[in-house]
Amino acid sequence: MIALTGKNQSYVLVLYGLCFPLIHVAHAQFILKMAAVQGGMGDADIKTDIKTEPSADGFGNNNANDGRVLSASPGSSSSTGSNKQTAAVTPEDQQTLLAVLQFLKKNKLSESVEILRREAGLPENSLDPKANESAGAGSGGAAGIVDLEGGDASSLLSRVTGSSSAGAQAPTKGTFICGGKKDQPDVSVVLSAYSQQGDPTLYKVYYRDLKKFIETVLDCHRAELSQVFYPLFVHMYLELVYNNHESEAKAFFEKFSGDQECYYEEDLRILSGLTKKEHMRGNETLLDFRTSKFVLRISRDSYQLLKRHLQERQNNQIWNIIQEHLYIDIFDGMPRSKSQIDAMSGSLAGEAKREANKTKVYYGLLKEPEIELPLDDEDEEAENEEGKPKKKKPKKDSVGSKSKKQDPNAPSQNRIPLPELKDSDKLDKIMYMKEATKRIRLGPDNLPSVCFYTFLNAYQGLTAVDLTDDSSLIAGGFADSTVRVWSVTPKKLRKVKSAADLNLIDKESDDVLERIMDEKTASESKIMYGHSGPVYGISFSPDRNYLLSSSEDGTVRLWSLLTFTCLVAYKGHNYPVWDTQFSPYGYYFVSGGHDRVARLWATDHYQPLRIFSGHLADITCTRFHPNSNYVATGSSDRTIRLWDVLSGNCVRIFTGHKGPIHSLAFSPNGKFLASGATDGRVLLWDIGHGLMVGELKGHTDTIYSLRFSRDGEILASGSMDNTVRLWDAMKAFDDLETDDFTAATGHIHLQDNSQELLLGTYTTKSTPVIHLHFTRRNLLLAAGAFNP
Amino acid sequence: MADREERRFAEVSRESVRLMAEGAGVELGDDVAALLAEDVCYRLREATQSSSQFMRHAKRRKLTVEDFNRALRWSNVEAICGYGAQDALPFRSVKEGELFFVEDRDVNLVELALATNIPKGCAETMVRVNVSYLDGKGNLEPQGTVPTAVQSLSDDLLKYYQQITRAILGEDPHLMKVALLDLQSNSKIAALLPYFVYVISGVKSVSHDLEQLNRLMHMVKSLVQNPYLYLGSYVRSLVSSVMYCILEPLAASINPLNDHWTLRDYAALLLSHIFWTHGDLVSGLYHQILLSLQKVLSDPVRPLCSHYGAVVGLHALGWKAVERVLFPHLPAYWANLQAVLDDYSVSNAQVKADGHKVYGAILVAVERLLKMKALSLSQSAEGQSGAHPGSVVGAVSYRVNSPGLSPPPEPLSEAALGIASHLQVGGAGCHWEEWTPVPLPAMYCELYSFFGDSLAVRFSTGTGFGTHSPCTPSQLGDSRKEPPGPASNLDTTRKMPQLTANLNISPRQDGSPRTDPPPPSLSGPGSVRSLPRASSMQRSRSSSSCSRQRSAGLSREVFPKARFTSPQTTPPAFSFLIGGRQMGQRCQGRRPFQTMFATTPPVSAIPPRTYAHKLPVIGRVGKPVRRWTCSHYSLHLPL
């Protein structure tokens, strides 16, 4: 048997070399999906759909990987040569192919069947017996099926491997009979992830064996290998449940759930509630587990150790799971320590693959637009306006020198098209510059003052808050579906006059903008009605003319702050939309919600421009990078992803949080990202290197708000625990050791220096802090609803 | 049973499922019920799980029925209605049936529809801003508590605090003055407020040292007058310290040489000042103060100096306070006082001296009460009469409150009425509702029976003084005998608008007396003649017609009929005349007196008229007030 599989290995390599059938598998899958979408398939078919994905992943990964990763997969590290497990995998790939064929045939896609068969080199008749079988799957005798199966498989294999070695034929056949015995040839069963099963009572033994082994290995490996426990545990449990071994599953859970890391507690609770096969259908958590591979990073040494052990013990069951449901990212070098692993793990799907964070990210800021320069003139020479034109030239150089230099890390100015500046924007820029000169330098010795905007009589209904950049307006989203806007300055909120009245005004006058406002409508606050569910996200446009709100009703609405009416309802998310935010340059905005997809919109398009999909659970918060070229999303799957607006690709995946992420903030220089989650921790990320660079512990409840001061010296975090905490961001980022090694391996050494970085803790009486904002002069504004 | 123990979730038993099925008219087998029960449990858990997501995004800690319904709706299950109430639902059990149910009472719709206590709508959602932490190190102590020790302050503040306290409590009077001035105007000491309050609360430990007590009271005054300080709940603590000085039998008062009376007077003034400027910060403060004063007054065991404090305190709080507390209590108290005064033994000399002090204080208080009462009666009559023509209202009210406010009269016009009403509102506790005002004549009668001629005599002198202290009418609202100083008054006025709508009313009047122009008192005698008429009809509504007439043709009617050719002459003489009459006929003193007093209102009624001509704003009485109430919750933050 061992020898046979060795041959089989070469077959796999050949298969990769040929590669065209694989491409075609992908093609077939696509068709299959299309069919699923169009034809409203039955349950079994949907399951097929689900199943094909992981297998496709497997192919895709191996295919894309260079030799290093390839050699990492146990089968191809040829020298050991005793991988009978690969045998089980390989034939299954074949079976997948067959199943796809069968499915196509069933759906009368004969043309595709022809193409696929031709390209895979399958005989014409290979499918026919299958069809019969699937018809009488229930009644068919096991023996007969095995025969047929064996025959088919061998013939298929002979075609595929024929080109490489004819000698491989006989042994493969043997293997296939083996596999055939285990697997029912029914489509749904073939494609079901948990169909293969051993003796349910042995699961415990297997697991205990592994546990004992890992406990006895050298210390340096133990931490790394322990990572395997959680995914293994979950998959074994699910297999048991899937195969209707309820009591065994319960016993298994009882026995080993206590060993799991505490940060998986939430998932385990969901898992423990699930004891029947029927429950698995439609359970999102499960879907995530089955459709995505759990990613582990393990050093080569540790991995070899594990592999050898499993082979020695002939521990099929576990090896299968590892092969099928885990993605092991093997690196060369020292094994990581427990703390290093703990820092990075905790997400729903394990750590991020290293490849995922390799793309270059242009995190630099865009050059400030030209208008900044004349503005400066005006700012400094407000007294003598006449001198402006002639001094313009020299000023340009002296003042603009800093921002003129193109940041090497910045994207090109027109990488994504940005709206042109209007006159009013320029005026605002002037205001901004003026204010900026009066900005207070913050630091550990000079902490900001805090003003708290308390929402009274909100009756627990305040769900979202936003302030304009110039701190002149504050808006609240409420559970009663309303959006309310208040003026924070003595300037009242006024509507534009009605069309009839607008006709009467003198359009040529200088103060026409003032004249169009209807003085009679002036009030401190305005209420806007339109949503039909709680408003979870709210965002002002940079020019203060618009307001976005996202709601449970699945829409994002754009409101005009001139007329205080709804302009557009963007429909696309069919589920609650948890968050939305305007781009710092206006025009674009991003939204994310329960459908696990983030969308990029432009205000003048009713359909999204980009759809960012990849999160395994709800997207809970969305943030634009200051240069507007990237979007960060935080999710309930406990990961943060950074998406490229231009290509729509995911360019960073950050793992390390142990709970759903509820707040994100980019540092003003665009280099760093801060994230806060229900676990009460703030994590700091270096975007360029794709690394975690800090952990700030102190909060005791969900962090709903994060904000950097205008110059990035201080990070403020607001939490459900009724506190605002200030952190020394400068110090946190200065102390970084980002040598090449850490950058290359992604191993981080985090010092536990939260206490040193914590500059202050400010408590409210009974008001959770749900929004923070630094004014242009660095006064910290916080907002929340009083909760008596 | 074993698996019962290991279960981690609430479970729906198969019996329940069967019961429900029966309720719906379906018979279920045991196994079916068991399966269903298990599935129901799982679905419930699932729904709970996803409902927690809605809770998290609503940024709450409490899972609501609505969250659960949302989860149900998104999983295509009908929402459950009727459980949205905030309060807990009582869960009842029926013994026999082992049934548990939520009590669901019948609602009597008719009763509900006809109910008079219609629930009010909930208050409007609003945003308020407050500066929580200045320079990152504001008040680190939780608000509302007085810290026990001086810590966690910046070095600068700490030093300042030490210097100030040392200067105020030290020997050098000059240094003290400087320190007090600074305390009164320093804008950066908000963080120190609790510490100062704490120091001041130390009055109890220095009750033997009059000097220290005095200094502490000065400190209170400085703090109260500092326009940058928001006293908040510390008002209560300050008031209790001041009350201590007013009411307690201080250790210092054992020695008769110590002039604790001045301290009590001063503290009483301070009390009224705090109340008028910061009274709105603590709800029910007025009521509380009155109650504690009343308690002291009605306690015969307390020494006379305490009683004295209570009387001056009431006096300082205004004539209404005197009318409500002191006057009804007077008959009972009089007996005690009389006993003290009539005891001529040597051993009683000291007590008797104290008794005279109390007697004097009471006399002053009731005197003012009578004056003000008369004044207010005639004014209210006038106000009623003027109610019809809007312009007159403006004029009248303007006069009443702010005779002296020559510059912009707008904000005051309404405020005038506001004062009186403010008082009532302040004391509008349930206790006070039952109190019925005694008609002026009866009151006078009663008081006269106690004080006899001394009352009348002092009356006349009082009016005599009136000439040179024209502020009397304004004191109606003010209730302060002597404002500490014009400068401080200005300060408070400026400071008030920051606080609330309420406040801006009272301080204006505070400031007003100083700027009083002479005309009211001067013209006073001139209108005397019209007086009797108005006053005679005072009790009847008809007075309105009279006054209307007057308002129409005042200048023509009043002056020609006046007996005195030169109104400027001898107002004191005139009152003397009345006083003499009273002396003669004890019980009929009422009438002459009344005439006397009714005079005052028309007296001052003239100037407003002239002002009214000048001021076009009068018609917009309500406007400024509205503006203030709005800005009360204005979000503007001076950054």
Side-chain angles (χ1 to χ4, degrees), chain B residues 181-435:
Chain B
L181 267 180
D182 191 72
L183 209 54
Q184 197 173 316
S185 56
N186 198 322
S187 59
K188 299 183 178 97
I189 53 169
L192 285 174
L193 179 61
Y195 299 91
F196 286 129
V197 170
Y198 179 68
V199 169
I200 289 165
S201 69
V203 281
K204 296 174 185 96
S205 51
V206 292
S207 74
H208 57 278
D209 189 340
L210 262 187
E211 182 61 25
Q212 297 281 17
L213 287 176
N214 259 320
R215 285 157 184 262
L216 286 176
M217 285 302 106
H218 277 101
M219 203 159 158
V220 174
K221 190 184 124 197
S222 293
L223 287 179
V224 169
Q225 288 182 344
N226 188 325
Y228 305 101
L229 280 183
Y230 174 74
L231 295 181
S233 52
Y234 291 115
V235 165
R236 200 179 287 275
S237 172
L238 287 178
V239 163
S240 77
S241 297
V242 172
M243 294 277 275
Y244 180 88
C245 287
I246 300 177
L247 295 177
E248 285 309 305
L250 304 168
S253 56
I254 294 171
N255 182 349
L257 294 179
N258 278 336
D259 186 10
H260 57 102
W261 309 105
T262 328
L263 175 70
R264 292 181 201 275
D265 288 345
Y266 183 73
L269 278 181
L270 207 49
L271 177 68
S272 82
H273 184 60
I274 294 176
F275 171 69
W276 284 113
T277 52
H278 297 81
D280 63 317
L281 295 179
V282 179
S283 59
L285 187 64
Y286 181 77
H287 189 74
Q288 285 172 7
I289 295 176
L290 284 196
L291 272 182
S292 50
L293 290 175
Q294 185 185 29
K295 206 174 133 204
V296 171
L297 200 60
S298 55
D299 184 357
V301 183
R302 292 257 187 175
L304 284 168
C305 52
S306 290
H307 292 158
Y308 175 83
V311 173
V312 294
L314 286 170
H315 181 61
L317 282 177
W319 62 273
K320 293 234 173 196
V322 176
E323 187 184 19
R324 288 188 179 192
V325 180
L326 181 59
F327 179 70
H329 191 65
L330 211 48
Y333 186 72
W334 196 255
N336 292 331
L337 188 60
Q338 201 68 43
V340 172
L341 292 179
D342 289 349
D343 185 354
Y344 289 95
S345 62
V346 180
S347 61
N348 192 42
Q350 184 55 46
V351 180
K352 194 180 164 201
D354 291 356
H356 278 296
K357 272 278 184 191
V358 179
Y359 176 82
I362 295 177
L363 191 56
V364 170
V366 296
E367 224 177 73
R368 242 256 312 253
L369 165 65
L370 285 174
K371 277 188 218 167
M372 291 305 154
K373 179 117 174 144
L375 195 63
S376 74
L377 279 179
S378 57
Q379 266 164 18
S380 64
E382 215 173 318
Q384 272 173 7
S385 66
H388 198 60
S391 64
V392 175
V393 172
V396 167
S397 56
Y398 167 52
R399 178 192 68 58
V400 170
N401 314 297
S402 52
L405 271 187
S406 25
E410 319 127 59
L412 305 168
S413 46
E414 188 92 318
L417 298 176
I419 269 294
S421 63
H422 179 72
L423 241 181
Q424 277 149 4
V425 170
C430 43
H431 172 98
W432 302 108
E433 302 288 7
E434 295 129 37
W435 172 81

Side-chain angles (χ1 to χ4, degrees), chain B residues 468-622:
Chain B
H468 74 84
S469 70
C471 49
T472 23
S474 72
Q475 270 177 351
L476 145 79
D478 187 359
S479 84
R480 251 185 338 174
K481 271 197 294 192
E482 188 66 43
S488 64
N489 266 329
L490 283 182
D491 264 356
T492 43
T493 11
R494 218 175 297 135
K495 167 183 180 178
M496 291 340 293
Q498 293 179 356
L499 297 176
T500 57
N502 239 349
L503 271 189
N504 73 12
I505 292 167
S506 46
R508 286 296 190 162
Q509 269 133 8
D510 258 355
S512 58
R514 286 288 119 189
T515 43
D516 258 9
S521 56
L522 286 182
S523 55
S527 53
V528 163
R529 190 64 202 93
S530 68
L531 235 253
R533 263 151 112 253
S535 59
S536 63
M537 292 194 242
Q538 221 158 20
R539 248 155 289 146
S540 65
R541 290 274 157 83
S542 62
S543 69
S544 65
S545 67
C546 156
S547 52
R548 203 180 299 145
Q549 188 191 3
R550 190 178 57 215
S551 69
L554 194 62
S555 55
R556 204 185 27 184
E557 202 177 346
V558 170
F559 280 102
K561 286 187 183 170
R563 263 185 212 159
F564 307 94
T565 42
S566 64
Q568 286 89 346
T569 51
T570 67
F574 173 60
S575 48
F576 253 121
L577 170 77
I578 298 168
R581 262 203 217 164
Q582 283 173 334
M583 254 187 268
Q585 320 167 321
R586 266 188 84 135
C587 286
Q588 288 162 7
R590 186 204 323 162
R591 194 168 285 172
F593 154 74
Q594 215 180 359
T595 39
M596 167 65 196
F597 267 116
T599 34
T600 14
V603 161
S604 31
I606 291 172
R609 256 196 91 265
T610 58
Y611 275 90
H613 285 302
K614 286 187 206 156
L615 296 168
V617 277
I618 284 165
R620 319 198 308 236
V621 177

Side-chain angles (χ1 to χ4, degrees), chain A residues 254 273 454 618 704 720 762, chain B residues 8 53 56 61 128 136:
Chain A
E254 282 301 311
T454 312
D618 299 32
Y704 277 118
M720 190 81 150
Y762 303 135
Chain B
R8 288 171 292 265
Q53 206 168 24
R56 268 210 313 271
R61 266 195 213 90
R128 271 193 115 154

Side-chain angles (χ1 to χ4, degrees), chain A residues 473-508:
Chain A
L473 301 175
I474 190 169
F478 290 84
D480 62 2
S481 315
T482 59
V483 176
R484 289 160 202 250
V485 183
W486 282 267
S487 169
V488 180
T489 60
K491 204 176 152 199
K492 297 270 173 69
L493 300 174
R494 296 169 302 175
K495 291 183 187 175
V496 170
K497 287 176 182 162
S498 69
D501 291 340
L502 283 178
N503 268 333
L504 300 177
I505 63 169
D506 174 14
K507 275 127 195 136
E508 302 304 314

Side-chain angles (χ1 to χ4, degrees), chain A residues 463-464 476-484 527-539 547-559 565-571 573 575-580 589 591, chain B residues 70:
Chain A
T463 45
F478 290 84
D480 62 2
S481 315
T482 59
V483 176
R484 289 160 202 250
I527 307 182
M528 300 188 283
Y529 301 96
H531 280 296
S532 57
V535 179
Y536 290 119
I538 204 165
S539 173
L547 177 70
L548 276 176
S549 62
S550 68
S551 161
E552 191 240 16
D553 62 15
T555 63
V556 179
R557 278 174 188 268
L558 183 73
W559 309 84
T565 52
C566 181
L567 302 177
V568 196
Y570 299 96
K571 295 176 183 171
H573 295 278
Y575 291 92
V577 189
W578 298 131
D579 198 9
T580 185
F589 66 93
S591 64
Chain B
R70 277 183 211 294

